[in-house]
Amino acid sequence: MLTLLMGVFGRYPFAMAAGLGLNAVVAFTLATGMSWEDAMGIVVLEGIIIAILVLTGFRTAVFRAIPAELKTAIAVGIGLFIALIGFVDAGFVQRVPGALGETTVPVQLGASGNLSGWPTLVFVIGLLLTAFLVARRTKGAILIGILATTVLAIIVEAIAKVGPFNPGNGQINEGGWQLNVPALPDQIIDTPNLTLLGEFSLFGSFERVGITAAILFVFTLMLADFFDTMGTVVGVGAEGKMLDKQGNLPGIGPVLLVDSVGAAAGGA
C-alpha cells in the first residue's frame, strides 16, 4: 500500500520495504528490554515525529544541507551493511566462536575459515549470474538472478537434503541453510494476516524502561531512519538518473512524507 502511495503521492517509482537499519536497532536494542508491543509503539512514535519534521520543512532542509559526497557515503554504508547480511546468510562468512562457545561480532571466511557447503555454492553461482546480467545491462537482471538462484536452491535441497544450519537439537550443521530451508511453497497466493494490526503499545515503553530511556530509543530510531532514507533515496535516485546537479532529488518533500508515514504504519 505504501509503495502505491509513493508512486501516486510521492511521484517516484520507489518501492517501500522494511528498513534493515531499523530492523537491527529494534531487534538488538529495543526487543531485549521490552515487549514487542512496546517496541512497535516506539516505531510508531518515531514515524509520527519524523512526519511532523517533514511537514514543518525541517527534514527537507537537513536533506538539502548535507553535502552530496556525504549522502553518497551514507548510501555506500547502507549497501555494505546489507551486503554483510547477505554474506552471513549465505554462509560465505560466519561469526567467529568465542572461547566459551558464544558467537562474537567479527566474522571469518565460511565455516572454520574454509568455504564449503551447498548454500555457499548456490550463493556464488547466483552472485556471478547476477553480476553477469548486470554487466550485460539486461533488464530485470537482479530479479532474474533472484529467481534463478531460488530455483537452483530448491533443486539442490530436494536432491542433497542439506537441512537447516541450526536443526534445533543442540547441534550445528555448518553446511546448512542459514535462514529458511528452500522448498516449493504449499500455495502461491494467500491473503495477508492482519491479526496483529493495531496491537502496539504507544507509551508502554515509557512504563517499562522509563521516560529518559524511551525518549533516547525514539531519538535513536529517528537518526537511523533519517539517514537510512537519505542514503537509500540518493543511491536509488542516482542509479535511476533522477538527481539534479547538486545531488538532490527534485520534489523530495512528498517522498520523505510517505517514508515517514510508512515508518508509523509499519510499527502499527
Side-chain angles (χ1 to χ4, degrees):
M1 183 180 69
L2 270 300
T3 296
L4 295 177
L5 187 61
M6 179 64 78
V8 174
F9 182 73
R11 309 299 296 174
Y12 279 99
F14 295 158
M16 298 288 288
L20 290 180
L22 289 184
N23 285 346
V25 175
V26 171
F28 299 109
T29 303
L30 303 187
T32 58
M34 64 186 71
S35 67
W36 66 265
E37 294 93 341
D38 298 336
M40 290 302 100
I42 289 182
V43 175
V44 174
L45 278 174
E46 177 268 333
I48 294 174
I49 294 174
I50 209 166
I52 295 174
L53 294 180
V54 174
L55 293 175
T56 58
F58 178 80
R59 191 182 185 191
T60 305
V62 172
F63 188 96
R64 296 187 181 280
I66 293 180
E69 293 80 6
L70 182 56
K71 294 176 185 176
T72 302
I74 293 172
V76 172
I78 294 173
L80 291 175
F81 175 65
I82 297 175
L84 177 59
I85 294 175
F87 280 128
V88 173
D89 290 340
F92 197 81
V93 295
Q94 293 186 11
R95 294 187 178 187
V96 180
L100 300 178
E102 78 281 5
T103 55
T104 55
V105 175
V107 295
Q108 64 184 5
L109 186 65
S112 303
N114 298 308
L115 291 178
S116 61
W118 285 105
T120 302
L121 178 61
V122 171
F123 161 75
V124 172
I125 293 175
L127 181 64
L128 293 177
L129 173 62
T130 304
F132 173 77
L133 294 175
V134 170
R136 293 290 301 272
R137 299 186 180 276
T138 303
K139 290 186 177 181
I142 295 179
L143 290 178
I144 295 174
I146 291 173
L147 291 174
T149 307
T150 301
V151 172
L152 176 61
I154 293 175
I155 295 174
V156 168
E157 175 59 25
I159 297 175
K161 305 295 182 183
V162 178
F165 176 80
N166 186 358
N169 55 5
Q171 303 295 324
I172 295 297
N173 177 17
E174 291 188 344
W177 307 98
Q178 292 280 343
L179 295 177
N180 298 322
V181 177
L184 290 175
D186 296 330
Q187 52 191 42
I188 302 299
I189 300 175
D190 195 6
T191 56
N193 186 346
L194 300 178
T195 56
L196 296 181
L197 182 62
E199 294 293 327
F200 62 92
S201 177
L202 194 59
F203 297 104
S205 59
F206 288 80
E207 299 178 1
R208 189 67 63 95
V209 299
I211 296 177
T212 302
I215 292 176
L216 289 175
F217 282 147
V218 172
F219 184 70
T220 300
L221 284 188
M222 284 179 57
L223 285 180
D225 193 9
F226 211 104
F227 293 103
D228 186 11
T229 300
M230 181 181 301
T232 303
V233 166
V234 170
V236 176
E239 185 68 20
K241 296 179 175 57
M242 303 174 186
L243 304 182
D244 58 22
K245 294 182 179 179
Q246 288 73 37
N248 294 318
L249 189 73
I252 188 65
V255 173
L256 296 179
L257 182 59
V258 174
D259 172 78
S260 304
V261 173

